[in-house]
Amino acid sequence: MSGKPRVLVAHNDTPQVAVDLLKTKCDVTILKPNWPTEAEVLKVLPEYDALLGKLHIDTDFLNAAGSKLKIISTPSAGYDHMNIQEIKKRGIKVGHAPKVLSGAVAETAVFLLLGAARRAHEGRLLLEQGKVENGFQWLLGHDLRNKTVGIVGLGNIGEEIVKRLKPFEIKKFFYTGHSRKKAGDDLGAEFVNLDTLLKESDFVISCVPLTPETDKMFSDDAFKKMRKTSVFVNIGRGKTVDTDALVRALKNQTIFAAGLDVTEPEPLPVGHELLKLPNAVIIPHMGSQTVETRNDMALAAAQNILNGLEGKTLLYEL
Ligand SMILES: O=C(O)C(=O)CO
């Protein structure tokens, strides 16, 4: 034993840069198999001071985690997979990895928006079916130019989306949330209530995390308030949308199209209703999946642990 603090890395595809950073000050064990069950983690966890991984952490997990554990750090921005209150109640510090992924997720939002607005999936399906037609009116989509974009939840990701969309000559940006924000003012975006945003936006982009308040906030009612020409993009969390309501809205053309990085359920099972819709551009929660961003997220999660072990505030503490 070196006397160094012991860190358990739960996933063996954790980027090497983060493992190397931890190794500068800690003994590091990387668990195999790659995505272990919570039970597999718990078999060894009582011997460790810190845990780096994305795991479902609830009261039962914490009861079995042992008394040595001081820090839990998830290499993700979202933390709805962990019971933060229960973790903190036990004096365990908990951190996550926001901000460093905002650019990558914003890029994803832009391509989903463009793909949905320009009927990319429908075009591809028709191509595969040999149904491409000549015609001045064939498969027309919508421009971004001169349109109104509504951001639901102007956090870091929402801000990065606005910055990236500005060069598309957007007429107006709306945002909604708990309160007006300086960042919104700086970006020239107008704070409005959700109703106004839904009714008056051509593009509605949801960036909200999953909370009791946002659970299924995009319901039949919300989609009915949107325009027939509206495009809905979700890069937040799948559970913020009532999936059946979204399927209805897309099928009945209550809205024009959707671009989804996140869905409920996730992943969508083969043959799911959403996957049958030509006007839905869907990817399987890949918003932060770039080489650079995954390195940065893992590094942030590792830095949380190093800070915590030295008695400092975590880099991104919850
Ligand atoms: O880090 C997260 O929470 C994500 O959803 C990444 O896409």
Side-chain angles (χ1 to χ4, degrees):
M1 271 297 202
S2 63
K4 288 182 182 173
R6 302 192 69 198
V7 179
L8 184 65
V9 173
H11 315 290
N12 80 8
D13 65 353
T14 298
Q16 191 59 38
V17 282
V19 175
D20 289 344
L21 178 63
L22 287 170
K23 280 186 176 166
T24 58
K25 296 198 175 147
C26 311
D27 272 342
V28 180
T29 305
I30 304 170
L31 210 58
K32 294 187 176 78
N34 188 21
W35 283 76
T37 62
E38 278 68 23
E40 283 165 334
V41 174
L42 284 169
K43 267 190 211 155
V44 295
L45 189 59
E47 295 163 36
Y48 290 88
D49 299 284
L51 172 65
L52 188 153
K54 189 169 180 205
L55 297 155
H56 181 72
I57 296 183
D58 57 11
T59 308
D60 288 345
F61 183 99
L62 291 162
N63 287 344
S67 56
K68 200 169 150 78
L69 190 64
K70 297 176 195 69
I71 303 148
I72 297 172
S73 183
T74 179
S76 60
Y79 47 87
D80 45 273
H81 53 284
M82 304 193 290
N83 188 333
I84 304 300
Q85 229 186 341
E86 281 296 320
I87 296 174
K88 291 173 74 160
K89 217 163 83 180
R90 288 164 163 81
I92 299 171
K93 288 183 175 251
V94 54
H96 65 144
K99 297 189 182 168
V100 290
L101 79 175
S102 300
V105 179
E107 287 176 9
T108 303
V110 173
F111 93 68
L112 288 171
L113 187 73
L114 289 167
R118 301 300 296 271
R119 303 171 74 165
H121 180 56
E122 194 175 351
R124 168 71 191 236
L125 290 173
L126 293 171
L127 188 60
E128 284 177 11
Q129 293 158 11
K131 291 184 179 164
V132 174
E133 293 170 22
N134 284 326
F136 290 122
Q137 298 290 330
W138 189 70
L139 219 64
L140 302 186
H142 291 286
D143 285 345
L144 270 63
R145 176 174 50 99
N146 261 328
K147 298 289 164 53
T148 298
V149 173
I151 308 278
V152 183
L154 191 77
N156 290 297
I157 295 174
E159 286 173 33
E160 293 304 321
I161 294 172
V162 173
K163 286 182 202 161
R164 280 159 180 75
L165 284 179
K166 281 195 171 215
F168 287 91
E169 299 175 33
I170 302 298
K171 182 176 71 189
K172 194 190 285 181
F173 287 98
F174 283 144
Y175 70 101
T176 192
H178 287 135
S179 56
R180 185 169 163 179
K181 295 187 164 186
K182 182 176 177 303
D185 293 345
D186 293 346
L187 289 164
E190 187 181 336
F191 180 64
V192 293
N193 62 33
L194 180 63
D195 259 30
T196 305
L197 184 144
L198 294 174
K199 286 178 186 156
E200 295 184 21
S201 297
D202 300 290
F203 299 96
V204 174
I205 308 178
S206 175
C207 309
V208 289
L210 179 66
T211 65
E213 192 190 351
T214 63
D215 198 356
K216 288 205 169 98
M217 70 182 279
F218 294 97
S219 56
D220 281 313
D221 189 43
F223 292 120
K224 277 182 196 147
K225 285 178 185 154
M226 290 168 61
R227 299 174 170 189
K228 271 189 160 332
T229 49
S230 281
V231 173
F232 173 70
V233 171
N234 190 7
I235 51 82
R237 281 293 179 262
K239 284 194 166 108
T240 62
V241 173
D242 175 342
T243 302
D244 293 340
L246 177 58
V247 169
R248 278 190 288 276
L250 289 167
K251 258 191 187 162
N252 302 338
Q253 286 164 8
T254 309
I255 62 171
F256 183 70
L260 310 171
D261 180 39
V262 290
T263 55
E264 169 59 19
E266 207 168 87
L268 288 174
V270 173
H272 190 279
E273 280 305 303
L274 268 178
L275 294 173
K276 296 180 191 158
L277 297 170
N279 53 348
V281 175
I282 307 174
I283 54 171
H285 201 154
M286 294 166 68
S288 64
Q289 273 170 239
T290 66
V291 174
E292 300 81 359
T293 294
R294 281 294 157 95
N295 281 346
D296 290 346
M297 292 168 83
L299 277 172
Q303 191 61 53
N304 282 336
I305 290 180
L306 294 185
N307 284 17
L309 290 171
E310 286 175 2
K312 299 182 193 155
T313 309
L314 308 198
L315 183 61
Y316 298 114
E317 186 152 348
L318 290 163

